[in-house]
Structure formats: structure tokens, C-alpha cells
Amino acid sequence: MSAPLTSLDRPNSYIGRSVPRPNAKRLLAGRGRYISDLKLPRMLHAAFLRSPHAHAKIASIKADAARAYEGVHLVATGADLAKICTPWTGTLDHFKGMNSAPQWPLPLDRVVWAGQAVVAVVAESRAIAEDALELIDVDYEDLPVVVDIDGAREAGGALVNPGSANNICFRSQLDNGAVDDAFAHAAHVVEEEFSFGRHTAVTLEPRAIVADYDPAAGMLTVHHGTQTPYQFQDLYSRHYNIPEARVRVIATDIGGSFGMKLHVYHEDMAVVGLSILLGRPVKYVADRMESFVSDIHARDHRVRARMALDAKGEILAMDVEDLTAIGAFSTYPRTSVVEGNQVIRLIGAPYRFKNYRATLEVIFQHKVQTSQYRAVGHPIACAVTERLVDMAASKVGLDPFAIRAQNVIPDDAYPQTSPTGYRFEALSHQACLKRLHEIMDYDALRAEQVDLRKRGSYRGIGIATFVEITNPSPAFYGVGGARISSQDGAILSLTPSGEVRCLISVTEQGQGTEAIISQIVADQLGLAQEHVKVVTGDTEVTPHGGATWACRGAGIGGETALQATRALKRNILEIAALILQQQPSALDIVDGEVVDAATRKPRLPIAEIARIAYFRSDTLPPGTQAQLTVSHHFAPQGYPFAFTNGIQGCALEVDVETGLIKLLKHFIVEDCGRVINPMLVEEQLRGGIVQGLGAALFEECRYGDTGQLMNGSLADYLVPMPMEMPDIVIAHVETPTADTVLGAKGVGEAGTAAASACVLNAVNDALMPFDATINSIPITPAKVLKALKRF
Amino acid sequence: MDLEETAVKARAFSYFRAARIDQALDAHARAGDEARFIAGGQSLVPALSLRLQAPRLLIDITHIDELRGIRRDGGYLRIGALTRHCEMLSEPLIAEFAPLLHAAAPFVAHPAIRNRGTLGGSVALADPASEFPAMTLALDAEIEIVGPSGRRRVKADDFFIDLFETALQPGELITAIYVPLFKADQRFAFDELARRRGDYALVGCGMLATFTGERIDDIRISFFSVGNTPIRVKGAEATLIGSSLDAERIAAAQGALEGDLAPPESDEVPPAMRLHLARVLLGRLLGRLGEGA
Ligand SMILES: Cc1cc2nc3c(=O)[nH]c(=O)nc-3n(C[C@H](O)[C@H](O)[C@H](O)COP(=O)(O)OP(=O)(O)OC[C@H]3O[C@@H](n4cnc5c(N)ncnc54)[C@H](O)[C@@H]3O)c2cc1C
């Protein structure tokens, strides 16, 4: 553990402490303000008719009966909305050569995936709108469907967008060092082809939006369940040509997002247009079936990779080819190529070798879009790397811990650059490996495994090291031309009663953003946490910022709050110094009292300073203007990303007759830099691990030959449930970043990054006696039984 | 999934709460095809919300006293149609006289669903992946039916006809399930293979056997999630009757399954895999039965 930022035993030392989230009680008591529950006066409801075809021409739309249905206010098609909304294209400049077709809220003449919204009905109630949908008759003419990766790449095969040269969205390549040479001289080469199924976020609360256009004021207010209200303020303003200052986006409580609610959805854009056309509030909440066919999906990669090693097990080189299929469009505004890009850049990241080559090909197909979802690219990069490392270990005759200990970048060798070009400030692989070995009681697990095998029960033990990308700078989106901020802003006020209000641009989706911000403010000012009120998620109130994605809330938002608080504290002490006729440097604040810095003797409550400044400024020396509201913005500088690292381990049992896998225990040692609130960090890790375990064993969007999603309901799409989840043991290593005072990095994706890789390794470990291997995620009973040739 | 039917709100319908059986039957007779009985609603309400069904009239049968209650009736346990899944777990009479139902109940969905779902609804729906319909077969139970043309009892063996198709005629009600009382010389076993607890099983099986010492005099083995209906595996049963449960017998019974079962194509569980799982499950359950399960 690093030294704490402030001494943990003084009053108001909240940084590093497990304090409960102030909003937990409100949410538990059913007092959440979710957009799904929002009712506005004169509000109407939208429902969408969806395409049953994966690819078809829209020959005609007959909607007269729906228009005439009692309670229906508007039936709108793509053409109607295209009159008021400009199209968008999901490309970014720094992804050279990428392309994607323009998108409108509803399609103009062609549908490109099964489930795409085609016609909108707005009515007095959702039920009436759904009644009216049944009266609409759309005449489709089937077009050839592109479903799987191979079909999409076939020369002369069907095209996702007729008229284009091929189905390729983007290609990228990395080539560092002397890869061919390394393979030519390697003592050992391991190689495998991996596949990763599509899955999706399945948030508790589906996507929800209420758009409320007031034609009299020319003002658009959108209540939007999103992580990024500022991004949507900008997009609604530009695509509907409304001045930015007249667009307000409010994101109150959100029932989960995981990256899924970062993206522009056709229905959401349409709802804004419908409200503009009607001059009334319009609400749309995706139902679960709609979520499955319209929320972004993620993953869907096929990776061929090989690794070269010397005779002693030193990794010399990797050579990787990633193919990924992203649906019919690249998502806006963050694109659908970031995942592939991160896959090829994160592979091999924990290790020392320097020779690396990778190609990425991103392909269109007739399915719903894929895009950024928790741990973008990480689980794929981690599974590919870590499985090859395990294969290499068994080839060379090393234990999985030993081969990793031999190859990770040593903790004292930083700064370092990864073989793929990422710059690492300071990571702690060696410390994490050592700690994991202890908390797993690894040798005992191995002994037990040997014992049980003799009795016909097959335990597997797996470990996986990882590197996580956090605290992104403008290098992530800004340089590509996206109006997505990487800085954050905070406005802090001392209230007349001596409390603090903090308006900050990072947002809260249940992860405890507001809790850690209030901890930082209270800690840095010297105030009880309950006297800090944090306000988030309203573009009319909170300053512009990046909000919450890519693990940036604590690292960037937290630093913003820290610096803003220090500025406010300086201002408070300046006034206190005038009143007390002291130097500001001789004073401090503890528990809401200005104290003598040396003796800690209380001098004056800050409430008294506020009272004087706000109501009796006449008693202050002439010329004094108390500044008890400060605003502060912070943009990350220094390293383009604050990388974090860690290692996970797991123990499981494979039933070799049924192919069912029982997870026994999961372990993680994680280094997210400064831990602000251990309880919240552990919540993030546990939740992330469970999501990763879902990917490992259960979650997959399965498609049929004609591009229909086969399992688009919660009866058929399996999410991880408590009965199948193991206990999770957590330990921390702390390596704060020196780029900020706070030193915090991100932690939201670490659990998801390596959990599936860990399980993959453990399953293969369990199957060792059978000469059967698994290289595909999710690991279903069918795959296990196939590998074991049981049917 | 049919995307033309993605809806979340049911179409409008009328609602009638029946207090007596004759009221329910009359209401149904008047509305004909346009009516549905509703019991626990755990299958019907989702179907309404998805607009897979859109009846004009729902007839609520949950207030009909005659459909309730569990009692001994001669050599049978009479289990009222409205008996909820959770009661299969909590009622001592079930545990004592129909322990196979008691053993199957924890595998049926989750507590919230078990609190409302009814035995009558489950048997009437006859989902081939459901536990209880299959157990009525293993138990040699009888289904009591009342309709416009009177009252009758149908053996479970004759009740399940095809996918969601049973001997129940439109407008008829299940009033009770009659289960022969569990006897001292009987043993039972139940288990299912599912990826997550509470899900419909990949394969499930329950069995009831009568022993003399270690010799099987009679055995009924019923599988679910293996075809269009719950299925008794008579070939496997035949290999076991008259013998005791040694490894060889068990293997023979497993071998017979190939003739008893013809699992349908499915995108996730190929027929050969389902057959394999059925063999594994049968082997494990017979093993337990041999140990006195
Ligand atoms: C998430 C979920 C998971 C589930 N998992 C399982 C599972 O693992 N295993 C399982 O077996 N079931 C499962 N079920 C289904 C559940 O057990 C249902 O309760 C049961 O199938 C139907 O009983 P019900 O009383 O709810 O019937 P309803 O939904 O009220 O009715 C179902 C049908 O039966 C008819 N009906 C009902 N009662 C009678 C009667 N007395 N006479 C004639 N017709 C009648 C109705 O008209 C309707 O057509 C699940 C349900 C859900 C929602």
C-alpha cells in the first residue's frame, strides 16, 4: 500500500475509507427518479414498428388505419424525420480509411438488420401506440443477407450496402520489431484460433427517454437515461439545428449502463424529432425484447494468434489477426472500431517482449451494431494473450505462475512502452502475482486438484494477468474529431450555512460517483461528508465535461473535485485570515471549523465566515470581495492514459459427462492507484467479475442463418445469476499515478477484463487429462462435450 | 422470436372472476374461442404482454374453492388444481404422499413464480420442458377434468398428446390431480441438468419404482425437455423390471434410451447431445435409486 494522501486518523479523512454511498438509501427506499417512471403533463408515448427482415427494401408503408386509430397523434416514417434531422456517420478521423453509411432516425428505403425500427407511432398511451402498430402494413422486398464473418468477406458475395466495393469498415496494422525473425529462431511456438460470441449489456432499466420540445421558447429538454448528457446536448443541438444553449439534457437516476447508453440510438433520435413535430413531450422506454435487438452488442471477434518463445520460456514475439463483425453501421459518435483497436493494442500488454505484429479487420454484416461496452476489447486481448501463455507454459514445462513471473515487465522497470506502443507510467505485475499466489493458496489448490482427479473429479485452476486502460486524454476521441470531452468541470459553493454544494460533470449510474466526489470534497476542505451535496447529470446546471465512461470518473472527475476544493479552501481561508487578522497559511479547516494550523485550536466555524461574507460584507475590510463559489476544470495531461493492472485467478470444476461447469472461487489482485473508497472499488470489481463470468459461461446473442436473433429474451439469453456465482476474494496493490494529486486511476472494467480469460484457462486446465481444449467463449456444455467427443 | 410480435402491453380484454365452476364454464361457453382461464398467470400473462395471445375475455378461476385443497381420497392424494408450486414445497401431505412432486418443486422457476404458478396451470399448459407434467406421468397420476359435458378422469399416460396439445378440450377445466399414495416399498429420484438453477432444463427426469428387496417390480421413468411432450421411456423401464440395479442393468437402460427418445433439432442443444445428457442423467438417477434414494 502506498502512503495515504491524508492521514487516515485525522477528522474528515475520507479518502481511503469505506463510507456508504449517500444515495444508496434513497434508491433502496424506492425513491429513485428513473426516466422510466417520469410523467410530464401532456406527455405522449412512442412505439416502433420493427423490421422482421435482416435486409430488405421498403417498397411501401401503408399507415392510414394507424393514423385514424383513436388516440394516435402521429405516425412518422424515415422520410418525415429526415426533413428535420440531419444524418450522422459513425467514423472518426484518427481511424484512417474507415467508412460507414449515413444514418437517419428511421430508414429511408432499406432495412439492414432484423429489429431495426421502421415506423414510429405516437399515441396517448403505449398500449394504444402498440395497437396502432398492428394496423401498419409495410411491404418489404427481401435482399441478400450477410450474417457470418466468412460470408461477409467472400469476394463477390452479398453486400451489406449495395454499391460499396466490399463489406470492410476498417483495417489497421501494427508491426514492431522483427517478428518473422523471432518466429524463425523460436524454440517453441504456440498458436490458436479463438472465437468470442456477441453479447449485450442487459441493464436492469432499459433505455429510456422523454423528449420535451417547447416551440414557444424554442427549447428542447431531454430526460435521457445516459452516461453522457453533454455529448447528447451537443448532438441534439447539431442534428436538429437548435442552439446548444437551448438544449438541456437531464440524466437523473439510471438503472445501469455499462457503456451501452453512451451511443446514439435511432429510436432516441426519432423521439426527439417526434417531440419537435408535435410540440409535446414524447416518451419511449425500450422493452426487454426491443433492447435485445436494438441496444448495442459487443465482442464478436475471431482472433488467430501465435506466440514465439525461447527454450527457457521467454516470450519473444506475438503475431495476431483480429477479425470482428460490427453490424450494418459503425455506431455514432464513438464508432464500432474502438473495440478491435483496443484488442490489437492490449494483447501482450503485461509482458516484456518487443516483437509484435497485428492486423485488424472490421466487417459489416446485417446485425445490430456493436460498440463500446464495459471493458472494451480487454477480455478478448486478455483471453488471447493469457491462453497462449498457458499453452506455452505447458509446452515449456513451466507452472503458469512461473512463466508469468519470468515474462512480466518488472515493477522497477517503469516507465515502459508496450510492444504495441502504449506508454506505461508504473504498473505492479510482480507484486500482484505474488499476492495472488498467497490469497489463492495456490499450492494447496494444486494438491487438491491432483487428489480429486484420482477420484474422477476434474478441477481446473486458471490465472490471467491484465492491463486496463483508464483516464483517457483527448487522444481517445478528441483527436478523431469527436466532440467528446476528456476534461471535467466542477463548481463548488460554500452555502450561507457553511455547507458545500458541488456541481460536477461526471455522472452517477449506481457506481457511487457522487459518494467518492463528496468524500474528496469533504476530505480536502475539512468538513463532515454529510455537509457536502453533490449534483450531477444536468447540462443546465453542471459544467461541461466528459461525464462517465472508460473508467474516468474517479481519476479525472475526482482530480477536478480535489483541485476545485483546494481553490475554495484558499478563498475561505483568505476571508478567515482577514477576520482573524492572521496569515492564511497559519490557518486550516477541520470539521467545518477554521483552526490554528499549528495548534489545531478552533478559531471560527466556516458557517460564520459564510454568514459574514453573504450577509455582513460591510464588516469586512474595504475592497474585500469574498469568492465562495469557485469553478475549476481539469484536463488530464502527461500520459495519454493511466493504465492499471492486476491479476485474477479462479478454481472451478468441470463435469466431464454433462459439460456443466461449477465455479468454485474467484480471486483478484487489483492496482487502481489511489483507492478512494475500498468498498466501492470492491463493488466495481465484484460486479465486473460477474459480468465477465457471464461472458465466460452464459451470455451470447445467437443468430440464425437469416440474421434473426434466436435468443432475444431473458428466458433464452442467459445472464449470470447468484446461484452460479462463486465467492470472490479481493486484494489491492496501490500504485498511484503521479500525473494527478489524487493519484486515482479507474477500476470499473478491471473485473470484466480478465474474468473470462481466467475461466478459459481454468477449463482447459481441468481438461488437461483428456487432451481436449476449448478456445471459444462462451464455454457452453455443448462446446465442452464436443471437445471431449462425448457426442 | 417473431419480431412482428414485439409488444409489451397486452391488447385490451374483459375480465370475469368466477366464484364457482359452473360460472367459469358458462362464461367460457358464451365467449367460445375468445376466452381463456387464468390461474397463476405465470405463463399466460407473458403471452398476453407479447401479444402471442389476445383473448377478449379472461376468466379468473383463482377464487373457485372447489379447485383448492390437498386431501387423501381413497388410495390417492387429491391435489386441487389451484395448488401453487410453493405449496409443493411446504405442504406435509405432499412431502409424505407425493414426495416426487416435493423433490421436483425447487427446480420449477424461482420463488416469485412459484408463489403464483399453479399445478393445474402447469399441467394444462403441458410445456414439454416443465417438471410437473412429466412427474404426473412418472406417478401414474390422473387428471380430473370438468367441462360442459360433465366430469372425467384421464390417466396422465393418455393426457399429453403433442406440443402444447392435451386431452383437455377448449372450455374444460382441470379441477384436480390424483396421485396414487406413495408406499413404503417405493423409491423415487428426481434431477435435472440446467445451466442455471431455476431455468428450464436441458434434460430432466423423475422416476418412481416399487421394489421387493433390491428387485424392481415396477418402474415408471419420465423425461422432460426431450421432445414435444413429457415422455415415459418404456424401453428403458422394461430393461429394469425384474432386476436389481447393478452397473450392467443401468447401462442397458441407458442403451435403451436411443429407442425411447428422439430429441428435436435445436440451435443450442443438438439431438445427439440431448440424448447423451439423458443417458448420463438416467445413469445417475438409477445409481441413486439403487442406493435407496
Ligand atoms: C420466468 C419464468 C420461469 C419459469 N420457469 C419454469 C420452470 O422452470 N419450470 C416450469 O415448469 N415452469 C416454469 N414457469 C412456468 C410456471 O411454472 C407457470 O406458472 C405454469 O406453467 C403455469 O401455471 P399458472 O397457474 O401460472 O397458469 P396460467 O399462466 O394462469 O395459465 C397457463 C395456461 O393454462 C390454462 N389453465 C390454467 N389453469 C387451468 C385449469 N385449472 N384448467 C384448465 N386450464 C388452465 C390457462 O388458460 C393458460 O392457457 C416459468 C415461468 C416464468 C415466468
Side-chain angles (χ1 to χ4, degrees), chain B residues 4 15 23-24 68 78 84 93-94 105 109 131 149 173 178 191 203 221 268 284:
Chain B
E4 281 170 9
Y15 170 87
Q23 290 176 345
R68 288 190 184 286
R78 180 196 188 273
R84 293 173 296 140
L93 283 174
I94 301 277
E131 287 81 0
S149 49
L173 266 180
Y178 284 78
D191 209 348
V203 170
I221 306 173
E268 223 196 348
R284 289 181 181 179

Side-chain angles (χ1 to χ4, degrees), chain A residues 287 657 697 702 719 724, chain B residues 8 195-197 267 276:
Chain A
D287 71 53
E657 288 184 309
L697 297 184
R702 300 197 317 274
V719 293
E724 285 69 39
Chain B
V8 272
R195 290 173 68 186
R196 301 179 310 178
R197 183 65 187 244
D267 72 315
H276 165 79

